[in-house]
Every structure is written in structure tokens, then in C-alpha cells.
Amino acid sequence: MPSFTVKVKWGKENFPKVEVNTDEEPMLFKAQLYALTGVQPERQKILCKGITLKDDEWNMAIKDGTTILLLGTKEEVPQEPIEKPKFIEDMNESELATALELPAGLTNLGNTCYMNATLQCLKSVRELREALKEFKDNPSETGGLSGLASPGAITMSMRNLFDDMERSDTVTPVLFLQRLHIAFPNFAQTGENGTYRQQDANECWSELLKMLQQKLPATKTDTIDQGVKYSSFIDQWFGGTFDVQMKCTEAEDEPVSNSKENFLQLSCFISTEVKYMHSGIRLRLKEQLTKQSPSLGRDAVYTKTSLISRLPAYLTVQFVRFQYKGKEGINAKVLKDIKFPIDFDAFDLCTPELQSKLSPIRAKFKEVEDAELERNLKGKNKSKAQLESERPKTLQQPYCFEDDTGSNNSGYYTLQAVLTHQGRSSSSGHYVGWVRQKGDQWIKFDDDTVSPVDTEAILKLSGGGDWHCAYVLVYGPKILEIPIDDDKKTGTEAGDGATITTDSNAADSEKMSVD
């Protein structure tokens, strides 16, 4: 008979009659022992005459009355914590900052939110933080009152401020504000009550980049024959180039003129037909203007067409939300809802020559995306945790062309910082910075109030009302990650570059995956 009883000895305890049915799998027997002892089946070791029972077969000779030895311990019952857990929604701002290790905020020194938000968004660029750490100031250039207004003084002050922000929860940027006011007296204007007037954050952004452009040197690389040279870090990492074609619409025989223009940000123009950021940018790239025609000897209408011939690693987009109204004497705000993407593709804004150069890495992205889709389809019956555990290890690929450090070699970007404005004019209201920390985790920098938000909150910044409206957006390079099995040697089969890079879309400098 396959069904009989055995004696089970477990430590100091004995179970004289435990039913066994060898027609059933051993796991059923282990389940019985679990009911008796509380020892989980995977923690059980069942011995009989030196033989260990397997999970899937009865590999030991047992009969009625046989004594079986059970080894294994019960898991400890969790003890009630001495200090009861506190949920995030019950924490105050100080407790939340400590629990989540939030970055440092900046104290508002009186309508200086425009400066604070600008600095937080600039600080999101890892390469800029690293370049500032390496910057060496020249005391002879920064001495005296005139020296305090120099590009070197502003650059050194930003370096010191970012360094302070790494060590503190909240920083009061008094020294930086003083030097900003000396360099740009218009930012130091005060109102009737003696407080500082609100300023335009994009103007602050542009002026700071110009200062850094003069003093922060380009990143050095190990590439011996680098085809493109830059004297400035800003030109290298934030700067793009347009190929511009100018054609006279009133004189068909007049030769088309071609030129190049550099840019540090793209403009998204807002009109009645524009609903999306991409169409607002395209509107700026083809426009009509009036200028002197050499063939006609008078002013004539020209069509100016611009296409991007060099994409920077960090692409800045400014929403042209303010329009000057002479009667009121203010820059009135356009509140229209303009949708912007988390992932942005600049491919169709580029010249055919640049598109050809971007294509190899884009093909690699497509291969990885197709492989991921196939893996998900095969595992459609598996849990999300199982799919994550089976995800292959990957190596991050360079996002710059090998001969152009600081460029973007795919045309793909991921949003990493948003500077918003709340109010009705550029000289009033409130500015806030929003910076991606990791994945779908973002940080809202409302001066010295720092709080976590998610991607859903970021997408609500598109405008349409009195809530915060996106004003300046910073897009970082989307990182290509190749499965190790497909690229075992160096992780650079994707082509352009010789090193594995860290994720530059994160607010910290640690290596991590990009969505």
C-alpha cells in the first residue's frame, strides 16, 4: 500500500503518526510537515538513513513505522517596531527631505526666484557641474569692484555655490546675487518699497551662459585627432549650428545665399495654430523677413529657412510666452496650453547631412526597442517582477560623435529640467525649477522648499491657466544601452565614441539606466 504512517523527529519534538502517500509528490508530504512544524517547505531537509528526500521523487525506501529526521527552522516572527513607521503623507517638509535625501534649496532674497530656478536647472547638467569643479580662478582678474563683475568672478561664484549646495540642505546665495547685481545692474532694480523687482528668468539664463561661455574652457578628451575644436564649454555642450538659406521671393533669378548661425537655445513660437512644442519650433525655422535686395536695389521679402547641422548634447528650448504691450508697458504672458514631450526627437529639424550621420545610432535604438518588445511579448504571462529579473545587463553607449565631444549622435533627447513661470507678466509672478532625479522621480525647487513630484506633475506644466507654465526646457541626451551579450568587448559597437558614459539625464552623477 502506498499510504502508511511514519515517525517524524524534529529537534526535541516527535510526531509518531504522520501519514505518507508515495503515489503523491513529496511536496505534499512537505506541506503536511509545514502544517505540523511551521517550517517552510523550501527550508526543510528530510533525511532517512543518510538519504535526502528530493522535491520531485521518492528517492528513499520507507515503509510503515519508519523514522524520518526533519531539519529546518521556522522563520522568526517579525517583532513590532519600537518606533512606529511614519508614512510620507504624514511627514512635514523637514522630515520628508531627510527621508528622501532631497537636494539643497536656495533661499529667496526678495524676488530672486528667477535666479534660484535658473541655477537649479543649470545644476542638473552633470558635465557642467564637473567642469565647474575643475575651474581655476585667476585672482588678478577677480580683484576690485570691476573684477567682481567679470565672467571669471561669476563662474567662480557659481562653482562655490554648487559646492555649498552639495553639503547643505538650504543655501542662501548672497554672494552670488551680489556679483550678479554688479555684473548686471538691471537685475538689481528695486521698487517703491525698496525690494528687488522681479526679473525675466530666461534673460538671467542667457546672461549666465554668456559669462560661462567666456571663462569655462571646453572639455578635454582622450581623442587625439578631434575634428571639432571649441574654446568654450558652453559652445561645446549647449551650442548648436544652423545651416541658413536666404531666398528672395520677389526676384527668382537672385542667387540663394547660404550661411551658418550658432544658437544656444531653440525658440518655440506660440500662435493660434500651435498646440505642440515641435510645431512651435518648426514655425521659427521657416520665416519671412524684409531686407535690402542687391538685385532689385530696394527692400524685398525673403524666406529664411534654417536647419540644424550640429545638435548639442543639451538642447535648451525657450517658449516665447511674453509679448510686449506698449500701452501697459509690460511683457504680457501668453497662457496658451502648449504640449511638450518627455522624449523629444529632433531628427526632422536637421539637415540631410546630419540626418545621415544620426541614422546608425538611431538604428541601434530601434534594434534594442524591438528586442525589448519581443521579450515582453514572450513574457506576457509573467509578472512585472519576473520580467525585471530576467532583463539582460546592459552597457551605456556614448551619446556624442567620436570627433565632436559635447554633441548628440542620435537626435533623441530626454527632458531633464523645466523652468516655469506662474503669473501674468515677466516682471511679476513666481519662477520654479523642476529637475529629474531618476526615472519618473522629479524634484520641485520652489526656492528653499524642495519636494518630490512625478512625471504626471511635469506634464501638467504645459500652460492654459494660472498654474505654472513651462518657460525654459532643458533636454539631455537619451542614452543607448546595449545588452552585454550583444556587445561583449567594449560596449562601443554602436559606433561613435570610445567610452561607456554615465547617465547625464539624472540630477546626480551616479551611473544609472535611462527610461
Side-chain angles (χ1 to χ4, degrees):
M1 293 291 292
S3 181
F4 47 85
T5 61
V6 295
K7 298 176 182 177
V8 177
K9 185 177 181 181
W10 176 55
K12 296 181 179 181
E13 294 192 47
N14 291 290
F15 302 92
K17 290 186 179 183
V18 179
E19 187 173 346
V20 177
N21 187 345
T22 53
D23 281 348
E24 302 285 352
E25 291 186 357
M27 283 301 294
L28 181 61
F29 179 56
K30 288 191 173 186
Q32 291 176 257
L33 296 182
Y34 169 58
L36 289 171
T37 64
V39 179
Q40 297 277 358
E42 61 269 18
R43 298 170 65 90
Q44 295 178 14
K45 186 173 183 180
I46 299 173
L47 299 172
C48 181
K49 297 181 180 179
I51 299 174
T52 302
L53 179 64
K54 295 182 177 180
D55 288 341
D56 55 356
E57 65 171 305
W58 290 94
N59 59 315
M60 56 174 60
I62 58 175
K63 56 184 179 180
D64 190 56
T66 299
T67 298
I68 290 176
L69 182 63
L70 170 63
L71 302 179
T73 57
K74 292 190 293 185
E75 294 180 353
E76 292 292 330
V77 177
Q79 299 294 318
E80 183 178 356
I82 298 174
E83 185 177 345
K84 291 185 178 181
K86 196 166 190 177
F87 297 101
I88 287 180
E89 53 267 28
D90 297 327
M91 294 182 180
N92 58 37
E93 290 175 0
S94 176
E95 292 170 331
L96 193 61
T98 302
L100 299 179
E101 298 182 352
L102 296 178
L106 294 171
T107 304
N108 191 319
L109 298 171
N111 281 332
T112 59
C113 57
Y114 72 94
M115 180 190 76
N116 292 347
T118 297
L119 289 169
Q120 293 288 8
C121 290
L122 283 173
K123 188 175 180 290
S124 73
V125 178
R126 175 179 58 85
E127 289 84 354
L128 175 59
R129 297 197 306 269
E130 293 175 352
L132 285 169
K133 286 180 181 178
E134 298 297 322
F135 176 72
K136 306 297 182 184
D137 59 297
N138 187 344
S140 63
E141 295 180 3
T142 56
L145 186 60
S146 60
L148 293 176
S150 68
I154 293 290
T155 304
M156 180 182 66
S157 185
M158 187 180 293
R159 180 200 66 187
N160 295 340
L161 178 62
F162 283 2
D163 188 48
D164 290 342
M165 292 169 71
E166 294 297 327
R167 299 194 299 262
S168 305
D169 293 333
T170 301
V171 176
T172 303
V174 175
L175 294 178
F176 186 87
L177 181 65
Q178 288 176 345
R179 293 190 175 182
L180 184 71
H181 284 173
I182 295 172
F184 306 102
N186 56 305
F187 290 154
Q189 294 176 351
T190 58
E192 295 179 358
N193 56 359
T195 60
Y196 295 125
R197 290 180 177 175
Q198 183 66 280
Q199 302 295 329
D200 188 320
N202 187 60
E203 184 181 353
C204 179
W205 178 283
S206 299
E207 296 293 2
L208 289 180
L209 285 192
K210 289 177 184 176
M211 287 293 196
L212 297 175
Q213 194 175 29
Q214 297 177 57
K215 296 304 298 183
L216 204 58
T219 303
K220 295 180 180 179
T221 66
D222 296 330
T223 306
I224 298 175
D225 297 320
Q226 177 121 334
V228 182
K229 300 291 184 181
Y230 300 95
S231 59
S232 161
F233 173 92
I234 298 301
D235 293 334
Q236 184 180 29
W237 293 90
F238 287 82
T241 304
F242 285 129
D243 279 5
V244 180
Q245 185 182 85
M246 197 81 73
K247 181 176 177 57
C248 182
T249 60
E250 299 181 44
E252 291 294 329
D253 295 335
E254 184 173 306
V256 174
S257 66
N258 295 288
S259 61
K260 289 187 177 291
E261 292 181 2
N262 296 324
F263 66 87
L264 291 179
Q265 63 179 205
L266 297 180
S267 297
C268 174
F269 280 82
I270 300 174
S271 63
T272 53
E273 67 271 16
V274 171
K275 296 180 180 179
Y276 301 95
M277 182 188 82
H278 194 275
S279 57
I281 294 174
R282 290 187 65 87
L283 190 65
R284 164 67 176 82
L285 298 185
K286 190 168 185 178
E287 55 186 339
Q288 288 191 329
L289 50 85
T290 301
K291 74 181 196 78
Q292 179 72 19
S293 167
S295 63
L296 298 176
R298 59 174 175 81
D299 285 347
V301 177
Y302 282 76
T303 298
K304 179 182 179 182
T305 305
S306 303
L307 289 174
I308 299 172
S309 56
R310 197 261 182 180
L311 281 171
Y314 292 90
L315 187 66
T316 306
V317 179
Q318 181 229 352
F319 283 43
V320 186
R321 286 202 174 272
F322 297 107
Q323 298 178 354
Y324 184 73
K325 291 190 174 182
K327 289 184 179 180
E328 293 84 356
I330 60 171
N331 282 326
K333 184 177 177 182
V334 180
L335 297 173
K336 185 177 180 181
D337 184 359
I338 304 295
K339 302 297 184 186
F340 57 85
I342 297 297
D343 292 311
F344 176 59
D345 185 1
F347 185 78
D348 69 338
L349 305 177
C350 301
T351 63
E353 293 78 13
L354 180 55
Q355 288 179 345
S356 179
K357 288 180 64 179
L358 298 174
S359 294
I361 304 301
R362 295 172 69 87
K364 283 285 185 181
F365 267 105
K366 183 68 165 56
E367 290 176 17
V368 172
E369 289 169 1
D370 288 347
E372 178 70 8
L373 179 60
E374 184 179 353
R375 193 177 72 86
N376 289 335
L377 288 175
K378 287 182 179 179
K380 61 183 179 181
N381 295 324
K382 297 181 180 180
S383 66
K384 186 177 180 180
Q386 283 178 303
L387 287 174
E388 284 297 321
S389 66
E390 296 172 1
R391 185 182 298 275
K393 293 182 179 180
T394 59
L395 290 177
Q396 294 181 348
Q397 304 298 292
Y399 52 82
C400 304
F401 287 115
E402 187 175 6
D403 62 350
D404 188 3
T405 300
S407 63
N408 180 306
N409 63 8
S410 70
Y412 291 129
Y413 289 91
T414 298
L415 186 64
Q416 74 171 56
V418 183
L419 194 160
T420 62
H421 177 266
Q422 185 179 26
R424 293 301 179 103
S425 75
S426 61
S427 58
S428 62
H430 186 55
Y431 290 97
V432 169
W434 314 68
V435 175
R436 184 195 294 270
Q437 188 176 46
K438 182 179 179 181
D440 287 331
Q441 300 171 11
W442 290 71
I443 301 295
K444 177 184 177 183
F445 292 97
D446 188 351
D447 292 323
D448 55 356
T449 301
V450 181
S451 55
V453 295
D454 57 17
T455 302
E456 185 179 351
I458 301 302
L459 292 174
K460 292 178 181 178
L461 304 174
S462 57
D466 285 331
W467 180 237
H468 294 278
C469 294
Y471 186 31
V472 179
L473 277 64
V474 182
Y475 283 91
K478 188 173 183 179
I479 310 299
L480 173 64
E481 297 194 7
I482 299 292
I484 292 176
D485 291 340
D486 294 343
D487 201 4
K488 293 180 180 177
K489 292 183 179 180
T490 63
T492 58
E493 188 181 304
D496 303 284
T499 59
I500 300 167
T501 63
T502 56
D503 176 10
S504 54
N505 293 324
D508 55 44
S509 59
E510 295 182 0
K511 293 183 179 181
M512 55 176 257
S513 298
V514 177
D515 316 27

